[in-house]
Amino acid sequence: MTGIRITVAGTAGSAPREAGAQMMVWPDRTEGTIGGGALEWDAMAEARRMLAEGRTQHRATIPLGPALGQCCGGSVTLLWEVAEALDEQPRRPLWIYGAGHVGRAVVHVMQPLPNFAITWVDVAADRFPQTDVTTLVAVDPAQVVRHAPDEAEHLILTYSHALDLALCHAILSRPFASAGLIGSATKWARFRKRLGDLGHSSAQIDRIACPIGDPALGKHPAALALGVATAMIGTDTRQSRERRA
């Protein structure tokens, strides 16, 4: 069904969303967000007026000040155009190993983010909660690493040190974008030696981040998940800025 796609075409000063953020508006529903609040409400109203009047495109720069009841202080340029759906954006493949407390917390935080395509791996189907992400059951998760795309990012969060080590070895044996391992500095010191004995160079082993998360947030699964997500979002934001530049 045809609707109106609203795109943040540009920003100046402080704004609720970055350039490129989008939402779709139909007469009876919406998808996505351009930041909420009065800006989004007025943009949705304009989109529905366009649908009712048969207009196909509109562009406007909107100051985010007292007139909108917002205190951002900047401005946003919006583009309204007839479309069937949101533009497809490339998503970062994220492979997560382990559906325990930490794995569940990380997926809970990462799943709503639109820039990540999650594949969640564990040894048994009943370890997964109800979820909309892609799940993969494997008796030996290390054997499925070869099916991940070369640009995949990996998070190793399993219940077993032996399985964690096997996953590290499998990931280091093929191309990958990044990898993180849950554990202490002591655990990582043992793993570094064992991975070196398996033939991996120090430079390659250094590509695995361990421990993951932000120590200042603590060791609770939710705190670990927040630290991991913050780091990954930061990387995504830097990459987006580089692409726009």
Side-chain angles (χ1 to χ4, degrees):
M1 180 181 178
T2 299
I4 299 293
R5 182 172 60 222
I6 307 172
T7 303
V8 178
T11 65
S14 179
R17 288 294 306 274
E18 71 284 355
Q22 294 184 329
M23 69 179 300
M24 281 292 299
V25 179
W26 295 272
D28 59 343
R29 69 188 195 280
T30 67
E31 177 184 340
T33 179
I34 57 168
L39 171 69
E40 184 167 296
W41 186 262
D42 289 351
M44 289 164 52
E46 173 62 16
R48 288 183 170 131
R49 284 193 294 269
M50 290 176 62
L51 289 170
E53 298 167 6
R55 290 184 285 132
T56 60
Q57 193 174 78
H58 178 57
R59 187 183 184 97
T61 297
I62 303 162
L64 303 175
L68 276 182
Q70 295 189 333
C71 57
C72 294
S75 66
V76 173
T77 299
L78 298 180
L79 172 65
W80 292 257
E81 54 190 342
V82 171
E84 297 291 335
L86 294 175
D87 286 338
E88 285 293 327
Q89 297 180 356
R91 297 200 295 166
R92 294 162 59 183
L94 174 60
W95 284 53
I96 297 175
Y97 306 87
H101 294 306
V102 176
R104 291 182 180 213
V106 170
V107 170
H108 178 73
V109 172
M110 300 298 297
Q111 179 181 353
L113 299 174
N115 294 346
F116 295 90
I118 296 174
T119 300
W120 198 4
V121 184
D122 208 305
V123 297
D126 61 7
R127 289 180 58 82
F128 295 108
Q130 185 70 29
T131 181
D132 292 329
V133 307
T134 300
T135 57
L136 182 59
V137 178
V139 174
D140 183 1
Q143 293 299 316
V144 307
V145 171
R146 66 178 182 273
H147 298 294
D150 291 354
E151 68 275 16
E153 299 171 77
H154 301 265
L155 290 175
I156 304 169
L157 313 168
T158 84
Y159 60 90
S160 163
H161 283 205
L163 179 52
D164 287 351
L165 181 65
L167 284 163
C168 288
H169 177 47
I171 292 166
L172 290 175
S173 299
R174 63 179 315 283
F176 66 99
S178 69
L181 169 69
I182 189 171
S184 64
T186 301
K187 173 183 174 178
W188 183 231
R190 292 198 304 267
F191 272 38
R192 286 190 62 89
K193 182 179 186 309
R194 292 176 183 175
L195 291 168
D197 292 342
L198 288 168
H200 302 291
S201 68
S202 293
Q204 185 74 338
I205 296 170
D206 284 343
R207 295 187 62 201
I208 297 179
C210 182
I212 56 172
D214 181 350
L217 297 176
K219 296 182 179 180
H220 189 281
L224 282 169
L226 287 172
V228 170
T230 299
M232 298 195 77
I233 293 170
T235 300
D236 190 54
T237 300
R238 288 193 298 273
Q239 291 174 346
S240 296
R241 288 172 178 167
E242 290 169 0
R243 286 194 297 269
R244 289 199 299 272

